[in-house]
Amino acid sequence: MKVLVIGAGNMGLAYAKALVKSEYLSKDNLMISDTSPEKTVELKKISRFDVYTNLADCLPQADIVFIAVKPYHAGKLLEELKPMMKEDQLAISIMAGVTIQTIKEGLGITKVVRAMPNLPAQIGKGLTSFTASPEVSRLELSTVQKLLDTTGKSVYLDTENDIDASTGISGSGPAYVFYFMQSMMEAASKMGFSDHDSKVLVSQTFEGAVELFNQSDLSPESWMNRVASKGGTTRAALDSMDDNNVKDLIEEAAYAAFNRAVELGK
């Protein structure tokens, strides 16, 4: 099995590095292509995979093609790829909002997987949701999931609408966490803590809370109730968030990302 990753941006390079470290692919079976001369030089220094600038030199060799470019490049790229694609090749797209049908028509193939990774894939802690066209077999889906799991965890979803919805939760989700962290660090700074201490206070608090959650069967609400005693400091903070409708605002933000993903698909 030979895999080609098209696009060496943050996510494309994250997958390429993870794949070549895995037990599923050797260096000789992984190719990566990018149009940027500067990026190509950088990739060749890594020397973990075969690097190409001309798609005609690598695309015909690939069994699986990862398309890891920005969605606004989709039209031009699919048009370029179509004459070189083979009927039995399988495409995995991580282009947000670009539908399976668009990719099938654009490439002239039937086996397409649409995936939505998130940024922690860069450190092997990512979450990738994915779905596939009916022509992708169960065996091929199993192979795809193993490849996606090299950057963390993956979850198969039934429909593309589910993929758009997952964009609003896991795809865009890390930014929500960073937004909350930034707000807490700014509050810590105003309370007189140094930048270093603010970062430690906030980052360790998040890491510890997530680990507690992952190591138990308790819901977030149950953990909040354990921390917040009546009339205490934590309850004062939670009451303030409730009074300011923070929960509703977070939900609205997730739906904003979901709706934007749907718009991109049109």
Side-chain angles (χ1 to χ4, degrees):
M1 176 179 62
K2 297 201 74 167
V3 174
L4 167 64
V5 177
I6 300 177
N10 288 334
M11 296 311 305
L13 191 53
Y15 270 105
K17 288 179 176 179
L19 288 169
V20 81
K21 290 179 183 177
S22 74
E23 60 188 65
Y24 305 111
L25 292 175
S26 66
K27 175 185 180 298
D28 295 333
N29 289 324
L30 181 62
M31 304 173 286
I32 189 167
S33 175
D34 198 276
T35 57
S36 166
E38 295 81 6
K39 179 64 71 171
T40 300
V41 172
E42 177 188 335
L43 293 171
K44 289 182 177 179
K45 287 180 180 178
I46 297 173
S47 71
R48 295 176 183 167
F49 25 68
D50 295 326
V51 182
Y52 295 86
T53 54
N54 188 352
L55 287 168
D57 294 333
C58 54
L59 185 61
Q61 304 177 49
D63 300 299
I64 295 177
V65 181
F66 267 87
I67 303 177
V69 302
K70 298 295 185 183
Y72 57 83
H73 290 311
K76 183 178 179 181
L77 178 63
L78 297 181
E79 183 179 353
E80 180 184 357
L81 296 178
K82 188 172 184 177
M84 297 182 281
M85 294 294 295
K86 295 182 290 186
E87 186 178 347
D88 61 343
Q89 284 176 313
L90 188 155
I92 302 174
S93 166
I94 62 173
M95 298 183 291
V98 183
T99 66
I100 287 176
Q101 188 59 35
T102 296
I103 298 168
K104 289 173 75 169
E105 293 175 357
L107 295 179
I109 62 173
T110 59
K111 294 190 289 188
V112 176
V113 172
R114 182 179 164 195
M116 173 49 59
N118 64 9
L119 196 60
Q122 294 183 17
I123 57 169
K125 294 289 185 178
L127 188 284
T128 302
S129 56
F130 71 103
T131 193
S133 60
E135 293 82 2
V136 180
S137 70
R138 293 179 67 88
L139 179 59
E140 288 169 328
L141 271 181
S142 176
T143 299
V144 167
Q145 185 151 28
K146 289 175 182 176
L147 296 178
L148 296 177
D149 282 347
T150 60
T151 59
K153 296 182 180 180
S154 64
V155 56
Y156 176 80
L157 301 176
D158 291 330
T159 70
E160 288 192 80
N161 186 71
D162 293 333
I163 295 293
D164 290 329
S166 74
T167 301
I169 303 300
S170 61
S172 301
Y176 315 158
V177 176
F178 297 140
Y179 189 98
F180 206 97
M181 292 177 74
Q182 181 66 33
S183 300
M184 289 179 65
M185 288 173 63
E186 289 175 4
S189 178
K190 289 177 181 178
M191 292 176 184
F193 293 102
S194 67
D195 289 346
H196 173 268
D197 287 348
S198 296
K199 180 178 180 180
V200 172
L201 283 166
V202 173
S203 63
Q204 187 62 26
T205 298
F206 267 78
E207 183 177 349
V210 170
E211 194 63 28
L212 273 175
F213 178 72
N214 285 337
Q215 290 188 16
S216 77
D217 295 326
L218 293 178
S219 68
E221 183 177 12
S222 296
W223 277 114
M224 284 189 287
N225 290 333
R226 285 195 172 200
V227 178
S229 57
K230 185 176 180 180
T233 58
T234 306
R235 178 51 59 191
L238 294 177
D239 286 346
S240 175
M241 292 183 193
D242 286 341
D243 291 342
N244 288 284
N245 299 314
V246 172
K247 182 179 179 181
D248 293 338
L249 293 175
I250 292 172
E251 185 175 314
E252 288 178 15
Y255 268 96
F258 171 27
N259 292 334
R260 181 56 180 156
V262 174
E263 289 173 6
L264 287 171
K266 297 177 180 178

